[in-house]
Amino acid sequence: MRERGVTLVELMVAMAIGLIVVAGLSLMFANSSRSGRELEGTSRQIENGRYAAELLAQEIAAAGFYGDVPQQGAVYTEPGACSTDVALLGWDQASKKRPVALEGKSASELGTLACVTQPLPGSAGLVLRRADTVPTAQADIDDSKGIGYVQTSQCNADPANIEYLFGSQKSGFTLRNLNCTGPGQVRRYLSRIYYVAACNECAGTAADTVPTLKRAELQGADVVVTPLATGIERMAVEYGFDTDYDGTPDTYRTGPNATPGTEDGKWSNVVTARIYVLARAAEVTAGYVDSKTYVLGLSGTLGPFNDAYKRKVFVTTAKIQNVAGPRER
């Protein structure tokens, strides 16, 4: 029996067909990988945008919480956003002073704050102040750290003219609990600046140009900056001013009225805030040109950017419960 192999022509045809099949599979794999990366990037962009908007809404809702500190007769102050000295944080028991819950910062104002690193030009910022929702045991206060705390009394035998005590030394907190057998609740004071930075890592050889939502938080004698969400390219805020003290906003503005004496010129009358967050993809998309215009409410529009980054605007409105609630009737 004669055995026959393949001819050179047949072998070359088979190899050509094989190469075509391999090329097709490679192209399919490349397209699949590109689509996967694109889907992952879009998902990350949406996730970061939603997270940023929801985080800001939650923080705004909690602003102005000062535990049991009475609100009647309160006088609101606007201490320096970067202040670290306990004496300069806006508290004074004798005159019933306490810091305003929310204070907006324009892009130009952010640029003057020493504790804010690399703010992105054109993006607004927020200063939010409150007390910690979890009380601190007086014995756990470290006098050396200079952290501000506020204490209220639940004891009827405490002096009626002392509504609260504010300081950083445990020996200064003399108010008592409900049974008058121990110290009253002590809560840490929190002051946080939320803003968009031009970079995620801003120093050294690892410096980048990724726009990032950051928080500059008062921590004793320092203000510590923490990245929160990358790809956040712009933040804009509209403030709802309650001018008739019924707990609902009567007018929305991008900042307080500059006319002296107006009710919509006081940060203490802000009861809601509408936040616009513009999220940008982390990587460019080949062949894509961003020709869209993005609406940021009263702050106007942005774009078209005419680059290869995909973008999306997230909008949410938050009520400042601790300011609006007591006003409702």
Side-chain angles (χ1 to χ4, degrees), residues 57 60-61 102 126 128 237-242 247-253 267-275 316-325 327-328:
I60 289 170
L102 176 150
L126 270 176
L128 301 176
V237 188
E238 296 172 2
Y239 306 98
F241 288 86
D242 174 19
T248 59
D250 299 296
T251 182
Y252 275 90
R253 303 177 59 90
W267 287 117
S268 58
N269 284 339
V270 175
V271 294
T272 61
R274 185 175 295 127
I275 311 134
T316 187
T317 301
K319 181 179 181 179
I320 309 176
Q321 301 288 352
N322 299 285
V323 178
R327 297 180 176 212
E328 293 176 350

PDB file of all heavy atoms in Angstrom, residues 57 60-61 102 126 128 237-242 247-253 267-275 316-325 327-328:
ATOM      1  N   ALA A  57     -23.444  64.455  50.290  1.00  0.00           N
ATOM      2  CA  ALA A  57     -24.821  64.598  50.781  1.00  0.00           C
ATOM      3  C   ALA A  57     -24.935  64.138  52.228  1.00  0.00           C
ATOM      4  O   ALA A  57     -25.588  64.789  53.060  1.00  0.00           O
ATOM      5  CB  ALA A  57     -25.776  63.805  49.891  1.00  0.00           C
ATOM      6  N   ILE A  60     -23.204  66.708  54.505  1.00  0.00           N
ATOM      7  CA  ILE A  60     -24.003  67.933  54.614  1.00  0.00           C
ATOM      8  C   ILE A  60     -25.188  67.697  55.550  1.00  0.00           C
ATOM      9  O   ILE A  60     -25.517  68.543  56.389  1.00  0.00           O
ATOM     10  CB  ILE A  60     -24.482  68.391  53.228  1.00  0.00           C
ATOM     11  CG1 ILE A  60     -23.287  68.926  52.417  1.00  0.00           C
ATOM     12  CG2 ILE A  60     -25.557  69.470  53.337  1.00  0.00           C
ATOM     13  CD1 ILE A  60     -23.598  69.180  50.960  1.00  0.00           C
ATOM     14  N   ALA A  61     -25.834  66.542  55.429  1.00  0.00           N
ATOM     15  CA  ALA A  61     -26.989  66.238  56.275  1.00  0.00           C
ATOM     16  C   ALA A  61     -26.627  66.231  57.751  1.00  0.00           C
ATOM     17  O   ALA A  61     -27.442  66.595  58.603  1.00  0.00           O
ATOM     18  CB  ALA A  61     -27.587  64.894  55.861  1.00  0.00           C
ATOM     19  N   LEU A 102     -22.283  75.052  57.935  1.00  0.00           N
ATOM     20  CA  LEU A 102     -21.800  74.951  56.553  1.00  0.00           C
ATOM     21  C   LEU A 102     -21.314  76.311  56.088  1.00  0.00           C
ATOM     22  O   LEU A 102     -21.932  77.338  56.381  1.00  0.00           O
ATOM     23  CB  LEU A 102     -22.907  74.441  55.643  1.00  0.00           C
ATOM     24  CG  LEU A 102     -22.639  74.354  54.135  1.00  0.00           C
ATOM     25  CD1 LEU A 102     -23.449  73.218  53.513  1.00  0.00           C
ATOM     26  CD2 LEU A 102     -22.988  75.663  53.425  1.00  0.00           C
ATOM     27  N   LEU A 126     -16.322  73.160  50.135  1.00  0.00           N
ATOM     28  CA  LEU A 126     -17.278  73.186  51.237  1.00  0.00           C
ATOM     29  C   LEU A 126     -16.551  73.014  52.560  1.00  0.00           C
ATOM     30  O   LEU A 126     -15.685  72.132  52.692  1.00  0.00           O
ATOM     31  CB  LEU A 126     -18.295  72.046  51.102  1.00  0.00           C
ATOM     32  CG  LEU A 126     -19.582  72.283  50.325  1.00  0.00           C
ATOM     33  CD1 LEU A 126     -20.364  70.976  50.270  1.00  0.00           C
ATOM     34  CD2 LEU A 126     -20.418  73.360  50.968  1.00  0.00           C
ATOM     35  N   LEU A 128     -17.516  71.975  56.322  1.00  0.00           N
ATOM     36  CA  LEU A 128     -18.600  71.396  57.114  1.00  0.00           C
ATOM     37  C   LEU A 128     -18.111  71.168  58.536  1.00  0.00           C
ATOM     38  O   LEU A 128     -17.015  70.641  58.750  1.00  0.00           O
ATOM     39  CB  LEU A 128     -19.061  70.073  56.497  1.00  0.00           C
ATOM     40  CG  LEU A 128     -19.575  70.155  55.058  1.00  0.00           C
ATOM     41  CD1 LEU A 128     -19.897  68.768  54.529  1.00  0.00           C
ATOM     42  CD2 LEU A 128     -20.806  71.050  54.988  1.00  0.00           C
ATOM     43  N   VAL A 237     -21.826  73.955  43.948  1.00  0.00           N
ATOM     44  CA  VAL A 237     -22.843  73.861  45.002  1.00  0.00           C
ATOM     45  C   VAL A 237     -23.802  75.043  44.916  1.00  0.00           C
ATOM     46  O   VAL A 237     -23.382  76.187  44.716  1.00  0.00           O
ATOM     47  CB  VAL A 237     -22.204  73.826  46.407  1.00  0.00           C
ATOM     48  CG1 VAL A 237     -23.266  73.530  47.466  1.00  0.00           C
ATOM     49  CG2 VAL A 237     -21.091  72.798  46.489  1.00  0.00           C
ATOM     50  N   GLU A 238     -25.087  74.739  45.050  1.00  0.00           N
ATOM     51  CA  GLU A 238     -26.114  75.763  45.211  1.00  0.00           C
ATOM     52  C   GLU A 238     -26.647  75.678  46.632  1.00  0.00           C
ATOM     53  O   GLU A 238     -26.965  74.582  47.116  1.00  0.00           O
ATOM     54  CB  GLU A 238     -27.260  75.539  44.217  1.00  0.00           C
ATOM     55  CG  GLU A 238     -26.851  75.674  42.764  1.00  0.00           C
ATOM     56  CD  GLU A 238     -27.950  75.256  41.802  1.00  0.00           C
ATOM     57  OE1 GLU A 238     -29.053  74.901  42.276  1.00  0.00           O
ATOM     58  OE2 GLU A 238     -27.704  75.268  40.588  1.00  0.00           O
ATOM     59  N   TYR A 239     -26.752  76.815  47.293  1.00  0.00           N
ATOM     60  CA  TYR A 239     -27.153  76.842  48.688  1.00  0.00           C
ATOM     61  C   TYR A 239     -28.587  77.344  48.822  1.00  0.00           C
ATOM     62  O   TYR A 239     -28.944  78.387  48.270  1.00  0.00           O
ATOM     63  CB  TYR A 239     -26.200  77.742  49.485  1.00  0.00           C
ATOM     64  CG  TYR A 239     -24.752  77.364  49.308  1.00  0.00           C
ATOM     65  CD1 TYR A 239     -23.934  78.051  48.400  1.00  0.00           C
ATOM     66  CD2 TYR A 239     -24.204  76.299  50.007  1.00  0.00           C
ATOM     67  CE1 TYR A 239     -22.609  77.691  48.220  1.00  0.00           C
ATOM     68  CE2 TYR A 239     -22.875  75.932  49.836  1.00  0.00           C
ATOM     69  CZ  TYR A 239     -22.089  76.630  48.933  1.00  0.00           C
ATOM     70  OH  TYR A 239     -20.776  76.276  48.752  1.00  0.00           O
ATOM     71  N   GLY A 240     -29.401  76.584  49.558  1.00  0.00           N
ATOM     72  CA  GLY A 240     -30.785  76.968  49.787  1.00  0.00           C
ATOM     73  C   GLY A 240     -30.912  77.772  51.070  1.00  0.00           C
ATOM     74  O   GLY A 240     -30.742  77.236  52.169  1.00  0.00           O
ATOM     75  N   PHE A 241     -31.181  79.069  50.936  1.00  0.00           N
ATOM     76  CA  PHE A 241     -31.274  79.964  52.087  1.00  0.00           C
ATOM     77  C   PHE A 241     -32.725  80.030  52.575  1.00  0.00           C
ATOM     78  O   PHE A 241     -33.651  80.248  51.789  1.00  0.00           O
ATOM     79  CB  PHE A 241     -30.793  81.368  51.718  1.00  0.00           C
ATOM     80  CG  PHE A 241     -29.309  81.468  51.533  1.00  0.00           C
ATOM     81  CD1 PHE A 241     -28.715  81.167  50.310  1.00  0.00           C
ATOM     82  CD2 PHE A 241     -28.490  81.886  52.572  1.00  0.00           C
ATOM     83  CE1 PHE A 241     -27.345  81.263  50.127  1.00  0.00           C
ATOM     84  CE2 PHE A 241     -27.105  81.991  52.403  1.00  0.00           C
ATOM     85  CZ  PHE A 241     -26.533  81.672  51.178  1.00  0.00           C
ATOM     86  N   ASP A 242     -32.900  79.851  53.866  1.00  0.00           N
ATOM     87  CA  ASP A 242     -34.213  79.976  54.505  1.00  0.00           C
ATOM     88  C   ASP A 242     -34.320  81.399  55.059  1.00  0.00           C
ATOM     89  O   ASP A 242     -33.727  81.716  56.086  1.00  0.00           O
ATOM     90  CB  ASP A 242     -34.333  78.948  55.623  1.00  0.00           C
ATOM     91  CG  ASP A 242     -35.608  79.095  56.430  1.00  0.00           C
ATOM     92  OD1 ASP A 242     -36.550  79.739  55.926  1.00  0.00           O
ATOM     93  OD2 ASP A 242     -35.653  78.577  57.563  1.00  0.00           O
ATOM     94  N   GLY A 247     -37.674  76.564  57.967  1.00  0.00           N
ATOM     95  CA  GLY A 247     -36.981  75.304  57.718  1.00  0.00           C
ATOM     96  C   GLY A 247     -36.912  74.879  56.271  1.00  0.00           C
ATOM     97  O   GLY A 247     -36.295  73.861  55.956  1.00  0.00           O
ATOM     98  N   THR A 248     -37.528  75.626  55.355  1.00  0.00           N
ATOM     99  CA  THR A 248     -37.478  75.290  53.933  1.00  0.00           C
ATOM    100  C   THR A 248     -36.769  76.397  53.166  1.00  0.00           C
ATOM    101  O   THR A 248     -36.871  77.578  53.525  1.00  0.00           O
ATOM    102  CB  THR A 248     -38.893  75.108  53.353  1.00  0.00           C
ATOM    103  OG1 THR A 248     -39.643  76.314  53.541  1.00  0.00           O
ATOM    104  CG2 THR A 248     -39.607  73.956  54.049  1.00  0.00           C
ATOM    105  N   PRO A 249     -36.051  76.055  52.102  1.00  0.00           N
ATOM    106  CA  PRO A 249     -35.312  77.075  51.359  1.00  0.00           C
ATOM    107  C   PRO A 249     -36.245  78.007  50.582  1.00  0.00           C
ATOM    108  O   PRO A 249     -37.215  77.543  49.971  1.00  0.00           O
ATOM    109  CB  PRO A 249     -34.424  76.259  50.415  1.00  0.00           C
ATOM    110  CG  PRO A 249     -35.140  74.954  50.260  1.00  0.00           C
ATOM    111  CD  PRO A 249     -35.831  74.697  51.562  1.00  0.00           C
ATOM    112  N   ASP A 250     -35.969  79.283  50.618  1.00  0.00           N
ATOM    113  CA  ASP A 250     -36.766  80.269  49.886  1.00  0.00           C
ATOM    114  C   ASP A 250     -36.057  80.747  48.624  1.00  0.00           C
ATOM    115  O   ASP A 250     -36.703  81.232  47.699  1.00  0.00           O
ATOM    116  CB  ASP A 250     -37.063  81.471  50.786  1.00  0.00           C
ATOM    117  CG  ASP A 250     -37.859  81.062  52.014  1.00  0.00           C
ATOM    118  OD1 ASP A 250     -38.997  80.616  51.844  1.00  0.00           O
ATOM    119  OD2 ASP A 250     -37.330  81.175  53.131  1.00  0.00           O
ATOM    120  N   THR A 251     -34.749  80.590  48.585  1.00  0.00           N
ATOM    121  CA  THR A 251     -33.993  80.989  47.402  1.00  0.00           C
ATOM    122  C   THR A 251     -32.699  80.202  47.358  1.00  0.00           C
ATOM    123  O   THR A 251     -32.127  79.863  48.412  1.00  0.00           O
ATOM    124  CB  THR A 251     -33.683  82.498  47.418  1.00  0.00           C
ATOM    125  OG1 THR A 251     -32.994  82.850  46.214  1.00  0.00           O
ATOM    126  CG2 THR A 251     -32.820  82.892  48.606  1.00  0.00           C
ATOM    127  N   TYR A 252     -32.273  79.877  46.143  1.00  0.00           N
ATOM    128  CA  TYR A 252     -31.000  79.180  45.948  1.00  0.00           C
ATOM    129  C   TYR A 252     -29.987  80.153  45.341  1.00  0.00           C
ATOM    130  O   TYR A 252     -30.297  80.904  44.420  1.00  0.00           O
ATOM    131  CB  TYR A 252     -31.169  77.965  45.035  1.00  0.00           C
ATOM    132  CG  TYR A 252     -31.628  76.721  45.760  1.00  0.00           C
ATOM    133  CD1 TYR A 252     -32.977  76.444  45.908  1.00  0.00           C
ATOM    134  CD2 TYR A 252     -30.707  75.830  46.304  1.00  0.00           C
ATOM    135  CE1 TYR A 252     -33.406  75.302  46.573  1.00  0.00           C
ATOM    136  CE2 TYR A 252     -31.124  74.689  46.972  1.00  0.00           C
ATOM    137  CZ  TYR A 252     -32.471  74.429  47.108  1.00  0.00           C
ATOM    138  OH  TYR A 252     -32.884  73.312  47.774  1.00  0.00           O
ATOM    139  N   ARG A 253     -28.793  80.107  45.872  1.00  0.00           N
ATOM    140  CA  ARG A 253     -27.717  80.964  45.401  1.00  0.00           C
ATOM    141  C   ARG A 253     -26.415  80.169  45.385  1.00  0.00           C
ATOM    142  O   ARG A 253     -26.292  79.144  46.068  1.00  0.00           O
ATOM    143  CB  ARG A 253     -27.549  82.183  46.318  1.00  0.00           C
ATOM    144  CG  ARG A 253     -28.801  83.044  46.494  1.00  0.00           C
ATOM    145  CD  ARG A 253     -28.539  84.182  47.486  1.00  0.00           C
ATOM    146  NE  ARG A 253     -27.445  85.017  47.034  1.00  0.00           N
ATOM    147  CZ  ARG A 253     -27.591  86.103  46.256  1.00  0.00           C
ATOM    148  NH1 ARG A 253     -28.809  86.472  45.879  1.00  0.00           N
ATOM    149  NH2 ARG A 253     -26.572  86.807  45.869  1.00  0.00           N
ATOM    150  N   TRP A 267     -24.565  82.476  56.205  1.00  0.00           N
ATOM    151  CA  TRP A 267     -24.356  81.039  56.077  1.00  0.00           C
ATOM    152  C   TRP A 267     -25.211  80.268  57.080  1.00  0.00           C
ATOM    153  O   TRP A 267     -25.590  79.115  56.832  1.00  0.00           O
ATOM    154  CB  TRP A 267     -22.887  80.686  56.276  1.00  0.00           C
ATOM    155  CG  TRP A 267     -22.012  81.063  55.134  1.00  0.00           C
ATOM    156  CD1 TRP A 267     -20.976  81.958  55.136  1.00  0.00           C
ATOM    157  CD2 TRP A 267     -22.075  80.548  53.789  1.00  0.00           C
ATOM    158  NE1 TRP A 267     -20.402  82.043  53.889  1.00  0.00           N
ATOM    159  CE2 TRP A 267     -21.049  81.187  53.044  1.00  0.00           C
ATOM    160  CE3 TRP A 267     -22.895  79.622  53.150  1.00  0.00           C
ATOM    161  CZ2 TRP A 267     -20.830  80.917  51.692  1.00  0.00           C
ATOM    162  CZ3 TRP A 267     -22.680  79.356  51.798  1.00  0.00           C
ATOM    163  CH2 TRP A 267     -21.654  79.998  51.089  1.00  0.00           C
ATOM    164  N   SER A 268     -25.524  80.886  58.205  1.00  0.00           N
ATOM    165  CA  SER A 268     -26.325  80.203  59.225  1.00  0.00           C
ATOM    166  C   SER A 268     -27.762  79.956  58.771  1.00  0.00           C
ATOM    167  O   SER A 268     -28.485  79.176  59.405  1.00  0.00           O
ATOM    168  CB  SER A 268     -26.337  81.019  60.522  1.00  0.00           C
ATOM    169  OG  SER A 268     -26.846  82.323  60.292  1.00  0.00           O
ATOM    170  N   ASN A 269     -28.202  80.584  57.675  1.00  0.00           N
ATOM    171  CA  ASN A 269     -29.562  80.391  57.166  1.00  0.00           C
ATOM    172  C   ASN A 269     -29.630  79.382  56.023  1.00  0.00           C
ATOM    173  O   ASN A 269     -30.689  79.205  55.419  1.00  0.00           O
ATOM    174  CB  ASN A 269     -30.151  81.721  56.695  1.00  0.00           C
ATOM    175  CG  ASN A 269     -30.592  82.596  57.853  1.00  0.00           C
ATOM    176  OD1 ASN A 269     -30.833  82.101  58.956  1.00  0.00           O
ATOM    177  ND2 ASN A 269     -30.693  83.896  57.615  1.00  0.00           N
ATOM    178  N   VAL A 270     -28.529  78.717  55.714  1.00  0.00           N
ATOM    179  CA  VAL A 270     -28.542  77.681  54.675  1.00  0.00           C
ATOM    180  C   VAL A 270     -29.127  76.401  55.270  1.00  0.00           C
ATOM    181  O   VAL A 270     -28.633  75.885  56.274  1.00  0.00           O
ATOM    182  CB  VAL A 270     -27.126  77.420  54.137  1.00  0.00           C
ATOM    183  CG1 VAL A 270     -27.140  76.242  53.144  1.00  0.00           C
ATOM    184  CG2 VAL A 270     -26.575  78.659  53.455  1.00  0.00           C
ATOM    185  N   VAL A 271     -30.197  75.892  54.662  1.00  0.00           N
ATOM    186  CA  VAL A 271     -30.860  74.681  55.169  1.00  0.00           C
ATOM    187  C   VAL A 271     -30.754  73.501  54.207  1.00  0.00           C
ATOM    188  O   VAL A 271     -31.009  72.361  54.601  1.00  0.00           O
ATOM    189  CB  VAL A 271     -32.340  74.959  55.503  1.00  0.00           C
ATOM    190  CG1 VAL A 271     -32.455  75.928  56.677  1.00  0.00           C
ATOM    191  CG2 VAL A 271     -33.099  75.496  54.285  1.00  0.00           C
ATOM    192  N   THR A 272     -30.421  73.764  52.948  1.00  0.00           N
ATOM    193  CA  THR A 272     -30.204  72.688  51.981  1.00  0.00           C
ATOM    194  C   THR A 272     -29.036  73.060  51.078  1.00  0.00           C
ATOM    195  O   THR A 272     -28.666  74.234  50.960  1.00  0.00           O
ATOM    196  CB  THR A 272     -31.444  72.425  51.092  1.00  0.00           C
ATOM    197  OG1 THR A 272     -31.743  73.614  50.352  1.00  0.00           O
ATOM    198  CG2 THR A 272     -32.640  72.005  51.911  1.00  0.00           C
ATOM    199  N   ALA A 273     -28.485  72.056  50.422  1.00  0.00           N
ATOM    200  CA  ALA A 273     -27.423  72.288  49.445  1.00  0.00           C
ATOM    201  C   ALA A 273     -27.599  71.321  48.285  1.00  0.00           C
ATOM    202  O   ALA A 273     -27.854  70.129  48.495  1.00  0.00           O
ATOM    203  CB  ALA A 273     -26.047  72.105  50.085  1.00  0.00           C
ATOM    204  N   ARG A 274     -27.529  71.841  47.075  1.00  0.00           N
ATOM    205  CA  ARG A 274     -27.615  71.016  45.866  1.00  0.00           C
ATOM    206  C   ARG A 274     -26.206  70.905  45.289  1.00  0.00           C
ATOM    207  O   ARG A 274     -25.570  71.904  44.981  1.00  0.00           O
ATOM    208  CB  ARG A 274     -28.570  71.633  44.855  1.00  0.00           C
ATOM    209  CG  ARG A 274     -28.804  70.776  43.618  1.00  0.00           C
ATOM    210  CD  ARG A 274     -29.867  71.383  42.714  1.00  0.00           C
ATOM    211  NE  ARG A 274     -31.173  71.407  43.377  1.00  0.00           N
ATOM    212  CZ  ARG A 274     -31.917  72.491  43.501  1.00  0.00           C
ATOM    213  NH1 ARG A 274     -31.502  73.647  43.017  1.00  0.00           N
ATOM    214  NH2 ARG A 274     -33.088  72.433  44.102  1.00  0.00           N
ATOM    215  N   ILE A 275     -25.743  69.663  45.146  1.00  0.00           N
ATOM    216  CA  ILE A 275     -24.356  69.423  44.759  1.00  0.00           C
ATOM    217  C   ILE A 275     -24.287  68.879  43.343  1.00  0.00           C
ATOM    218  O   ILE A 275     -25.030  67.960  42.979  1.00  0.00           O
ATOM    219  CB  ILE A 275     -23.690  68.411  45.710  1.00  0.00           C
ATOM    220  CG1 ILE A 275     -23.931  68.804  47.174  1.00  0.00           C
ATOM    221  CG2 ILE A 275     -22.205  68.285  45.451  1.00  0.00           C
ATOM    222  CD1 ILE A 275     -24.362  67.657  48.014  1.00  0.00           C
ATOM    223  N   THR A 316     -27.249  65.839  43.409  1.00  0.00           N
ATOM    224  CA  THR A 316     -28.031  65.428  44.567  1.00  0.00           C
ATOM    225  C   THR A 316     -28.284  66.633  45.458  1.00  0.00           C
ATOM    226  O   THR A 316     -27.505  67.594  45.441  1.00  0.00           O
ATOM    227  CB  THR A 316     -27.305  64.316  45.368  1.00  0.00           C
ATOM    228  OG1 THR A 316     -28.162  63.832  46.396  1.00  0.00           O
ATOM    229  CG2 THR A 316     -26.030  64.836  46.002  1.00  0.00           C
ATOM    230  N   THR A 317     -29.376  66.581  46.202  1.00  0.00           N
ATOM    231  CA  THR A 317     -29.722  67.657  47.129  1.00  0.00           C
ATOM    232  C   THR A 317     -29.769  67.107  48.544  1.00  0.00           C
ATOM    233  O   THR A 317     -30.356  66.041  48.775  1.00  0.00           O
ATOM    234  CB  THR A 317     -31.084  68.281  46.769  1.00  0.00           C
ATOM    235  OG1 THR A 317     -31.023  68.800  45.436  1.00  0.00           O
ATOM    236  CG2 THR A 317     -31.428  69.420  47.723  1.00  0.00           C
ATOM    237  N   ALA A 318     -29.154  67.802  49.480  1.00  0.00           N
ATOM    238  CA  ALA A 318     -29.107  67.352  50.864  1.00  0.00           C
ATOM    239  C   ALA A 318     -29.685  68.417  51.780  1.00  0.00           C
ATOM    240  O   ALA A 318     -29.464  69.613  51.579  1.00  0.00           O
ATOM    241  CB  ALA A 318     -27.669  67.037  51.267  1.00  0.00           C
ATOM    242  N   LYS A 319     -30.413  67.957  52.762  1.00  0.00           N
ATOM    243  CA  LYS A 319     -30.999  68.850  53.769  1.00  0.00           C
ATOM    244  C   LYS A 319     -30.116  68.855  55.014  1.00  0.00           C
ATOM    245  O   LYS A 319     -29.719  67.793  55.497  1.00  0.00           O
ATOM    246  CB  LYS A 319     -32.410  68.368  54.112  1.00  0.00           C
ATOM    247  CG  LYS A 319     -33.147  69.226  55.124  1.00  0.00           C
ATOM    248  CD  LYS A 319     -34.545  68.654  55.359  1.00  0.00           C
ATOM    249  CE  LYS A 319     -35.344  69.482  56.330  1.00  0.00           C
ATOM    250  NZ  LYS A 319     -36.712  68.919  56.537  1.00  0.00           N
ATOM    251  N   ILE A 320     -29.811  70.031  55.528  1.00  0.00           N
ATOM    252  CA  ILE A 320     -29.015  70.135  56.748  1.00  0.00           C
ATOM    253  C   ILE A 320     -29.972  69.958  57.921  1.00  0.00           C
ATOM    254  O   ILE A 320     -30.573  70.916  58.418  1.00  0.00           O
ATOM    255  CB  ILE A 320     -28.276  71.484  56.822  1.00  0.00           C
ATOM    256  CG1 ILE A 320     -27.510  71.737  55.519  1.00  0.00           C
ATOM    257  CG2 ILE A 320     -27.299  71.504  57.997  1.00  0.00           C
ATOM    258  CD1 ILE A 320     -26.835  73.089  55.461  1.00  0.00           C
ATOM    259  N   GLN A 321     -30.103  68.730  58.369  1.00  0.00           N
ATOM    260  CA  GLN A 321     -31.134  68.379  59.338  1.00  0.00           C
ATOM    261  C   GLN A 321     -31.035  69.180  60.633  1.00  0.00           C
ATOM    262  O   GLN A 321     -32.057  69.590  61.201  1.00  0.00           O
ATOM    263  CB  GLN A 321     -31.044  66.879  59.652  1.00  0.00           C
ATOM    264  CG  GLN A 321     -31.201  65.965  58.447  1.00  0.00           C
ATOM    265  CD  GLN A 321     -32.625  65.924  57.918  1.00  0.00           C
ATOM    266  OE1 GLN A 321     -33.550  66.464  58.513  1.00  0.00           O
ATOM    267  NE2 GLN A 321     -32.817  65.278  56.773  1.00  0.00           N
ATOM    268  N   ASN A 322     -29.840  69.420  61.100  1.00  0.00           N
ATOM    269  CA  ASN A 322     -29.663  70.066  62.398  1.00  0.00           C
ATOM    270  C   ASN A 322     -29.882  71.575  62.352  1.00  0.00           C
ATOM    271  O   ASN A 322     -29.928  72.226  63.395  1.00  0.00           O
ATOM    272  CB  ASN A 322     -28.256  69.761  62.926  1.00  0.00           C
ATOM    273  CG  ASN A 322     -28.042  68.278  63.128  1.00  0.00           C
ATOM    274  OD1 ASN A 322     -28.537  67.697  64.069  1.00  0.00           O
ATOM    275  ND2 ASN A 322     -27.315  67.655  62.198  1.00  0.00           N
ATOM    276  N   VAL A 323     -30.025  72.109  61.131  1.00  0.00           N
ATOM    277  CA  VAL A 323     -30.366  73.525  60.987  1.00  0.00           C
ATOM    278  C   VAL A 323     -31.835  73.662  60.612  1.00  0.00           C
ATOM    279  O   VAL A 323     -32.575  74.454  61.207  1.00  0.00           O
ATOM    280  CB  VAL A 323     -29.482  74.206  59.918  1.00  0.00           C
ATOM    281  CG1 VAL A 323     -29.884  75.672  59.736  1.00  0.00           C
ATOM    282  CG2 VAL A 323     -28.005  74.111  60.317  1.00  0.00           C
ATOM    283  N   ALA A 324     -32.276  72.887  59.628  1.00  0.00           N
ATOM    284  CA  ALA A 324     -33.648  72.992  59.149  1.00  0.00           C
ATOM    285  C   ALA A 324     -34.656  72.444  60.145  1.00  0.00           C
ATOM    286  O   ALA A 324     -35.739  73.029  60.334  1.00  0.00           O
ATOM    287  CB  ALA A 324     -33.790  72.274  57.810  1.00  0.00           C
ATOM    288  N   GLY A 325     -34.316  71.315  60.782  1.00  0.00           N
ATOM    289  CA  GLY A 325     -35.266  70.644  61.680  1.00  0.00           C
ATOM    290  C   GLY A 325     -35.847  71.539  62.775  1.00  0.00           C
ATOM    291  O   GLY A 325     -37.074  71.628  62.910  1.00  0.00           O
ATOM    292  N   ARG A 327     -36.254  74.599  62.862  1.00  0.00           N
ATOM    293  CA  ARG A 327     -37.002  75.736  62.340  1.00  0.00           C
ATOM    294  C   ARG A 327     -38.389  75.345  61.847  1.00  0.00           C
ATOM    295  O   ARG A 327     -39.245  76.218  61.669  1.00  0.00           O
ATOM    296  CB  ARG A 327     -36.250  76.384  61.174  1.00  0.00           C
ATOM    297  CG  ARG A 327     -34.898  76.975  61.553  1.00  0.00           C
ATOM    298  CD  ARG A 327     -34.249  77.588  60.327  1.00  0.00           C
ATOM    299  NE  ARG A 327     -32.980  78.256  60.647  1.00  0.00           N
ATOM    300  CZ  ARG A 327     -32.529  79.315  60.004  1.00  0.00           C
ATOM    301  NH1 ARG A 327     -33.230  79.827  58.995  1.00  0.00           N
ATOM    302  NH2 ARG A 327     -31.404  79.887  60.335  1.00  0.00           N
ATOM    303  N   GLU A 328     -38.591  74.074  61.558  1.00  0.00           N
ATOM    304  CA  GLU A 328     -39.842  73.645  60.933  1.00  0.00           C
ATOM    305  C   GLU A 328     -41.007  73.874  61.863  1.00  0.00           C
ATOM    306  O   GLU A 328     -40.928  73.671  63.082  1.00  0.00           O
ATOM    307  CB  GLU A 328     -39.745  72.178  60.536  1.00  0.00           C
ATOM    308  CG  GLU A 328     -38.736  71.930  59.417  1.00  0.00           C
ATOM    309  CD  GLU A 328     -38.581  70.469  59.095  1.00  0.00           C
ATOM    310  OE1 GLU A 328     -39.110  69.638  59.857  1.00  0.00           O
ATOM    311  OE2 GLU A 328     -37.932  70.156  58.073  1.00  0.00           O
TER     312      GLU A 328
END
